[in-house]
Amino acid sequence: MVSFTILLTSIGMEWLYKALEQYTYITICSIIFKFVALIAMFMLIHEQSDYVIYGGISILASSASNVFNFINVRKYIDIRPVGNYNLRRHMKPVCAFFAMSCATTISTHMDTVMLGFMSTDAEVGYYNATVKIKKILVSIVTSLGTVLLPWASYYIQQDKMQKFKKITYKALNFVFLVASPMMVYFILYAKQGILFLSGIAYENSILPMQVIMPTLLFIGLSNILGIQILVPLGRERTVLYSEIAGAVVNILINAILIPRFRSVGAAVGTVVAEFVVLAVQFVALRSEVWPSFKAISYWKIIIGIMLGTVFSMWVLTFNLGSFVTLLIIAVLFFGVYGLFLLLTKEPLAVEIFNQVISYVKKIVVKKGN
């Protein structure tokens, strides 16, 4: 049943809606179906034998919006066959993207597979709890890359390299501004995060989670260098080579460390593998991206994180429960961090803040009218 998602994903064409910047539509559809799936989960799943129903609900949550995408796409394109297709010119880049996808899949899942063969099911459970949290955070860090990719390709095609360099800097700066504090926050407060999200039974996930957090920064940067820069420049092979290098390193380190360090060893393998992917891409683009890296205000990020840590650590002295502790610490940590960036007039932080204020004002004016 779950394999039915292959068909639904194929007809969903979410890439088209992203290219057209229909993010409001994508978000609303996703939220609606995930909310319906959540309600159905509580109402229909009661026993272990309900796994078939669970499979159906999972399809609803992840792929039901694809049906609406397919129906709604008629507003933008004519999906009737037109004939005279020149498929040959697309085969080379398609094969490169397919190979990239395979290498990424191997690199992403091989640690869990090897951990299952070389350790216990319990260790796999601890590691999966860590990976689930990491995936959520990575989706936040890489969100801007998805928005900017169509513009990057457009600027390159139009030979507007100055604008291309400008959004490249903005994307890299966004990753550092967002990934760095998130990485530190979930390293410092991994215990509270694991206890809240997974429970006391997953206490052994704390150290793997702390170890794996640097991947937020590595994946965020490699997503920009690979997807936003190398792909629009027509250098898909470089991205493929970086993914292959990461997969090979991941397998080797897992083979060495998992037998002794179990889930922590798998986390180390993932961190090193993602760093290798980033390193290969950076070396390939060093002349193009080095000015953007140099322009980032690292000292503002570091001092902001330090201040956020100082102003939030005291909350741990109170026994407030995992959720309340995380909530208060998050408000203090990210609040102080963001306030420092605004006071020091960090350009992207100020731009985002002004956009939020402008958006809120528009909502208030609409409600007033």
Side-chain angles (χ1 to χ4, degrees), residues 19-245:
L20 295 172
E21 298 188 359
Q22 297 294 316
Y23 296 105
T24 302
Y25 167 79
I26 295 173
T27 303
I28 291 174
C29 283
S30 178
I31 291 174
I32 289 175
F33 284 109
K34 282 180 171 56
F35 179 75
V36 171
L38 179 64
I39 298 300
M41 196 82 71
F42 282 106
M43 294 181 61
L44 302 176
I45 306 298
H46 303 290
E47 299 177 359
Q48 188 174 355
S49 58
D50 294 330
Y51 64 89
V52 176
I53 302 175
Y54 174 80
I57 295 174
S58 298
I59 294 173
L60 174 68
S62 62
S63 304
S65 59
N66 292 335
V67 177
F68 286 85
N69 289 351
F70 185 73
I71 296 173
N72 191 56
V73 79
R74 296 175 181 273
K75 294 181 180 179
Y76 306 104
I77 61 173
D78 189 347
I79 60 175
R80 292 178 299 177
V82 295
N84 298 321
Y85 299 111
N86 184 8
L87 299 178
R88 180 176 295 181
R89 65 174 181 170
H90 299 295
M91 292 307 297
K92 191 174 180 179
V94 166
C95 289
F97 279 112
F98 176 73
M100 285 164 49
S101 179
C102 291
T104 303
T105 302
I106 292 172
S107 179
T108 303
H109 298 286
M110 186 55 67
D111 46 6
T112 304
V113 174
M114 294 181 69
L115 187 61
F117 278 111
M118 305 172 72
S119 187
T120 63
D121 290 342
E123 289 295 329
V124 174
Y126 299 144
Y127 187 67
N128 280 337
T130 297
V131 170
K132 287 179 181 178
I133 296 173
K134 185 205 77 171
K135 285 182 178 179
I136 295 172
L137 300 177
V138 165
S139 66
I140 297 173
V141 174
T142 58
S143 59
L144 187 66
T146 304
V147 177
L148 294 181
L149 176 60
W151 286 105
S153 301
Y154 173 77
Y155 289 144
I156 289 175
Q157 290 175 359
Q158 299 297 318
D159 198 26
K160 298 179 178 180
M161 298 308 296
Q162 284 302 117
K163 290 187 176 181
F164 173 71
K165 291 178 180 179
K166 184 178 179 180
I167 66 168
T168 296
Y169 163 72
K170 182 178 289 188
L172 291 172
N173 195 21
F174 175 83
V175 170
F176 274 105
L177 288 178
V178 174
S180 300
M182 287 176 59
M183 176 181 69
V184 174
Y185 175 84
F186 281 95
I187 289 175
L188 294 175
Y189 308 114
K191 180 178 180 179
Q192 290 73 26
I194 288 293
L195 293 180
F196 169 64
L197 295 172
S198 302
I200 190 65
Y202 287 86
E203 194 170 7
N204 288 341
S205 298
I206 295 173
L207 183 55
M209 180 173 171
Q210 291 173 321
V211 171
I212 209 171
M213 278 301 109
T215 58
L216 297 184
L217 184 59
F218 298 157
I219 294 175
L221 293 175
S222 63
N223 181 265
I224 299 300
L225 298 184
I227 303 302
Q228 183 184 315
I229 302 179
L230 287 170
V231 169
L233 289 173
R235 299 167 66 180
E236 296 91 350
R237 284 191 176 185
T238 303
V239 183
L240 173 60
Y241 296 151
S242 69
E243 295 291 349
I244 292 174

Side-chain angles (χ1 to χ4, degrees), residues 242-262:
S242 69
E243 295 291 349
I244 292 174
V248 172
V249 169
N250 197 10
I251 292 172
L252 292 176
I253 294 180
N254 286 340
I256 296 171
L257 297 183
I258 286 178
R260 183 175 180 180
F261 299 104
R262 295 168 292 189

